[in-house]
């Protein structure tokens, strides 16, 4: 009885031996792996179809207006002639880039663009953070919503309207600000023509239009802060400033870093429309930037290849800055953009 019930170890080992890789069963399983993965991907896409449909307009926008036009960058290496087309225009290599870096206007453009970019980074970037922190301290729901609505309104105005409003206020011919200065015994100030006022006016208009809208992301990040941390800090005797410095700011630090990295990518991208509306013959020396120069060279003078080379230079600088800032953020233990 006992002998009959003993299991032969050789029999058990033969059962546990894995099938050969070349066996028909394994081959069929391997061949069905790819279709299985495709089915899994299709199932995931179908399960989250609502999210993908919501993202579809944004994806189409970037494909049509951001990625497809990048194919035209090839004309920066050509002497592009519209009647010859991209395929028929002669190839000139880096001639337009050499011309850009050797012109006297390059250093003027670089200086003006860098100065304005640094001013925006130092002044315009922190303002939405400060506004979000101040709005977060308001307890009256109606008052808080009213303030938010007021500071959001400028975002929905075009730069044409913004610059026109400031023109009406600052012009020497009946402007409200100059009328006030004259009534106080002063002399009218040429805000619109004096080169010294161009950069402060540019930065102030940018902050006034964009700061309120920029608070939305930070206010959303503030809602994720655990209220128990504030309660515990109050028990320890922390005041509101200490709570902001040690709890609120560290909680939204990842959001601040991500938005900072994204803004670094636009370091040389100040926007054409805003500066173009402020430029005139009196302040062009301090107001001409790469964006307005591209319009002047490409549209007004018809130098399409040269203007494309300037735009490609801006894009490459932005790419390098984003990659560098993202790597630096990761080196310090932050998440970064990717």
């Amino acid at each position: 009885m006992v002998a009959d019930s003993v299991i032969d170890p050789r029999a058990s080992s033969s059962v546990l031996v894995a099938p050969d890789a070349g066996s028909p069963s394994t081959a069929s399983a391997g061949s069905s792996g790819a279709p299985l993965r495709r089915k899994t991907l299709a199932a995931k896409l179908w399960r989250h179809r609502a999210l993908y449909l919501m993202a579809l307009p944004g994806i189409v926008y970037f494909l049509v207006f951001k990625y497809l036009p990048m194919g035209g960058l090839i004309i920066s290496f050509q002497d592009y002639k519209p009647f010859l087309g991209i395929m028929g225009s002669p190839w000139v290599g880096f001639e337009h880039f050499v011309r850009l870096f050797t012109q006297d206007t390059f250093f003027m453009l670089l200086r003006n663009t860098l100065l304005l970019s640094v001013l925006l980074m130092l002044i315009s970037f922190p303002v939405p953070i400060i506004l979000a922190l101040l709005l977060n301290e308001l307890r009256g729901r109606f008052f808080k919503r009213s303030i938010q609505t007021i500071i959001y309104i400028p975002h929905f105005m075009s730069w044409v309207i913004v610059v026109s409003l400031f023109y009406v206020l600052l012009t020497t011919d009946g402007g409200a600000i100059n009328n006030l200065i004259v009534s106080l015994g002063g002399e009218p100030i040429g805000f619109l023509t004096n080169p010294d006022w161009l950069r402060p006016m540019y930065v102030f208009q940018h902050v006034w239009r964009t700061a309120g809208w920029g608070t939305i992301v930070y206010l959303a990040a503030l809602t994720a802060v655990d209220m128990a941390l504030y309660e515990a800090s109050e028990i320890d005797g922390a005041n509101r400033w200490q709570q902001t410095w040690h709890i609120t700011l560290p909680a939204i630090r990842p959001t601040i870093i991500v938005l900072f990295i994204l803004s670094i990518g636009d370091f040389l991208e100040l926007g054409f429309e805003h500066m173009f509306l402020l430029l005139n013959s009196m302040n062009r020396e301090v107001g001409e930037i790469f964006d307005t120069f591209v319009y002047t060279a490409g549209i007004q003078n018809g130098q399409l290849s040269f203007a494309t080379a300037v735009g490609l230079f801006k894009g490459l600088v932005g790419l390098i800055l984003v990659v560098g800032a993202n790597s630096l953020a990761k080196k310090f233990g932050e998440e970064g953009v990717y």
Side-chain angles (χ1 to χ4, degrees):
M1 294 289 293
V2 176
D4 294 337
S5 63
V6 175
I7 300 175
D8 187 358
R10 290 175 297 177
S12 62
S13 63
S14 63
V15 174
L16 296 175
V17 172
D20 184 67
S23 62
S25 60
T26 307
S28 61
S31 61
S32 62
L36 182 61
R37 284 193 295 269
R38 286 196 293 268
K39 290 180 180 179
T40 304
L41 178 60
K44 289 182 179 179
L45 291 175
W46 179 254
R47 187 183 308 117
H48 304 291
R49 59 187 181 279
L51 296 177
Y52 288 110
L53 285 175
M54 290 176 61
L56 185 60
I59 295 173
V60 172
Y61 167 79
F62 279 100
L63 285 176
V64 174
F65 295 103
K66 299 296 182 179
Y67 287 98
L68 290 180
M70 290 179 67
L73 292 176
I74 193 175
I75 70 174
S76 61
F77 303 97
Q78 297 176 330
D79 184 14
Y80 177 70
K81 305 295 182 183
F83 56 88
L84 294 177
I86 294 179
M87 303 305 295
S89 298
W91 189 269
V92 296
F94 292 94
E95 178 181 320
H96 299 299
F97 295 93
V98 173
R99 175 187 170 189
L100 170 65
F101 298 139
T102 55
Q103 279 187 344
D104 295 335
T105 56
F106 173 75
F107 295 100
M108 178 196 71
L109 297 171
L110 187 64
R111 181 192 69 237
N112 295 340
T113 305
L114 288 179
L115 281 175
L116 287 174
S117 298
V118 170
L119 287 174
L120 290 181
M121 197 64 66
L122 295 177
I123 300 174
S124 182
F125 182 78
V127 170
I129 303 173
I130 298 172
L131 282 177
L133 294 175
L134 294 175
L135 289 171
N136 191 54
E137 296 297 322
L138 296 178
R139 294 295 174 260
R141 186 180 181 86
F142 176 77
F143 182 68
K144 180 179 180 179
R145 293 293 178 85
S146 301
I147 296 297
Q148 285 180 283
T149 302
I150 292 172
I151 64 176
Y152 290 168
I153 289 176
H155 172 77
F156 299 99
M157 300 180 184
S158 67
W159 281 119
V160 175
I161 297 176
V162 173
V163 174
S164 299
L165 287 174
F166 278 83
Y167 177 84
V168 173
L169 292 173
L170 300 176
T171 181
T172 55
D173 186 15
I177 303 299
N178 273 307
N179 286 344
L180 178 62
I181 294 174
V182 171
S183 65
L184 295 176
E187 293 292 330
I189 301 175
F191 294 104
L192 304 175
T193 56
N194 190 339
D196 296 334
W197 282 100
L198 177 64
R199 293 187 183 116
M201 185 167 54
Y202 178 91
V203 174
F204 182 81
Q205 291 176 0
H206 190 277
V207 172
W208 182 72
R209 183 176 184 265
T210 61
W213 189 256
T215 61
I216 294 178
V217 178
Y218 297 110
L219 288 173
L222 288 171
T223 59
V225 182
D226 190 358
M227 297 303 297
L229 297 175
Y230 294 107
E231 297 172 359
S233 64
E234 288 179 0
I235 296 175
D236 292 337
N239 55 33
R240 298 302 297 176
W241 168 251
Q242 292 172 328
Q243 291 176 354
T244 301
W245 184 256
H246 295 287
I247 298 176
T248 308
L249 284 177
I252 65 174
R253 184 175 60 189
T255 303
I256 295 174
I257 291 175
V258 168
L259 292 179
F260 179 77
I261 294 174
L262 294 177
S263 65
I264 283 288
D266 294 331
F267 194 72
L268 297 183
E269 190 77 25
L270 294 174
F272 159 75
E273 186 179 5
H274 185 193
M275 182 56 74
F276 180 76
L277 294 169
L278 292 174
L279 277 181
N280 53 60
S281 58
M282 304 295 291
N283 58 22
R284 186 171 294 275
E285 185 66 24
V286 298
E288 189 79 72
I289 57 177
F290 284 112
D291 297 282
T292 57
F293 183 74
V294 167
Y295 171 78
T296 303
I299 304 301
Q300 291 186 341
N301 298 335
Q303 302 173 8
L304 300 178
S305 294
F306 180 60
T308 305
V310 177
L312 180 57
F313 165 73
K314 289 194 315 172
L316 289 176
V317 171
L319 176 62
I320 294 171
L321 289 175
V322 167
V323 173
N326 190 76
S327 301
L328 190 62
K330 286 195 170 184
K331 187 174 293 185
F332 284 96
E334 301 296 336
E335 294 183 3
V337 178
Y338 58 89

